[in-house]
Amino acid sequence: MKFLQDSPFVLAYEGVHPTLKGPVRRSEPGSAVLGRVTLGGQAVLEPFAVLRGDGHVVNVGEELHLGLHSTVHISHALYGATLGDRVTVGANSVVHACTVGDNCVIQDCVSVLDGAMIGNGSVVAAGSVVFPRKILPPGHWCEGSPAVPIRPVDTAELNALHECIRADTRMGSMVETPKSSRSIMPRGDKCGYVAATVTGIGDIRMDEGSSLWFGCVIEAADLGVTIATGSNIQDNTVLRSSERAVTIGKDSTIGHNVLLHDCVIGARVLVGMGSTLAPGTIVRDNVVIAAGSSTTRGQVLDSGWMWAGRPARPISRLDQRMGRLIEQSAAIYREYALEFAANQAAALRAMVRRETQPPHVS
């Protein structure tokens, strides 16, 4: 699809277009800047990097480097996302509804969660999770789940870390560029919304009100994927069906940058950002999986619990508040999908008109 060659792919949200405060230094195919985003000059957007401002605003300073399949997003009507000047984000990381100071480095496979604050000149180490509303001090190396400050970082080390990520060709990275860049076309009587930069291969069954978001990858050549009514699969998540079909039940939310491998997900489930569900995982109805969690092969997550950790374990019973959160997440994403689907369709029609117009003769 032509959308994949447009770099970055740009869409408005509720009539608000992204604001680019200066030239983009480099943007790779599949990258996207969406809605209420203000982006400083000289940004580098690696393949399938996503900045999405819908239910709140995203403000980014100068010289951002946003890595392969990384995501910057907001928390609807609660927190925007603010990134300072010269922020470097590695591959497959999520910067969500938080504040990141100037000159920070966020390495590969990191999740920074709602309301967190990272001080100027700090590093968040690969694989770490910055818990909600956590404040990390300036000038420190921070790591773990939850991420905590470990030691100071000097200027020379910080500059070397910036340069290493910015020069990385993804050789030996924990994340690979998708083997296929073919656009996905779902089937079903009333298909859900598929964002323009979804790629991969496989048979996708999507029911009404479901959605599959920017940068998602489908690896399901033979077995396929099924997404039930009202469920959303958020940006840069990978759905991999190699031994059994991935199936997702009604009104579930799969967060940003999740890996679902041969999994069965029940109804009214919330899988937190940056989680990895191992082959054969079964998640019963009415479950919450905390951000950055992982499961073991064949693990069964029983209904009515919040699960967290590596590997995930039940840590608390779900209450009415968590039940409402799951319902609200599904409802919000149905609204997002309606708006982006209309804008994406209009952009496609405009593109077709441009390409089919006869050349102007002076």
Side-chain angles (χ1 to χ4, degrees), residues 68 90-92 108-109 168-177:
L68 171 72
N92 196 41
D108 289 359
C109 300
D168 191 0
T169 62
R170 309 317 316 159
M171 293 294 291
S173 169
M174 288 184 284
V175 180
E176 295 181 358
T177 304

Side-chain angles (χ1 to χ4, degrees), residues 54-71:
D54 30 42
H56 215 300
V57 298
V58 173
N59 289 306
V60 182
E62 303 290 310
E63 298 184 55
L64 171 70
H65 179 103
L66 188 58
L68 171 72
H69 278 285
S70 281
T71 307

Side-chain angles (χ1 to χ4, degrees), residues 247-271:
T247 63
I248 299 164
K250 183 179 178 181
D251 291 331
S252 289
T253 290
I254 312 300
H256 309 284
N257 293 78
V258 168
L259 171 60
L260 299 184
H261 193 173
D262 299 335
C263 297
V264 175
I265 309 296
R268 298 172 301 281
V269 170
L270 192 158
V271 180

Side-chain angles (χ1 to χ4, degrees), residues 150-217:
I150 302 298
R151 59 176 176 81
V153 175
D154 64 26
T155 301
E157 181 183 13
L158 185 64
N159 287 338
L161 291 166
H162 278 292
E163 293 307 313
C164 180
I165 292 175
R166 290 175 179 238
D168 191 0
T169 62
R170 309 317 316 159
M171 293 294 291
S173 169
M174 288 184 284
V175 180
E176 295 181 358
T177 304
K179 297 178 178 63
S180 171
S181 61
R182 193 176 79 186
S183 298
I184 291 292
M185 295 300 292
R187 64 182 177 87
D189 296 332
K190 295 182 178 179
C191 293
Y193 167 60
V194 178
T197 61
V198 173
T199 61
I201 188 168
D203 185 31
I204 312 300
R205 174 82 188 202
M206 295 180 68
D207 290 339
E208 185 176 11
S210 61
S211 55
L212 189 59
W213 288 82
F214 295 90
C216 284
V217 179

Side-chain angles (χ1 to χ4, degrees), residues 240 242-244 246 258-265 271 275-283 289 293-301 311-312:
R240 181 175 295 154
S242 57
E243 299 173 3
R244 65 187 300 177
V246 171
V258 168
L259 171 60
L260 299 184
H261 193 173
D262 299 335
C263 297
V264 175
I265 309 296
V271 180
S275 294
T276 298
L277 273 59
T281 298
I282 297 174
V283 182
I289 302 173
S293 298
S294 63
T295 64
T296 57
R297 178 179 281 268
Q299 187 173 0
V300 177
L301 278 59

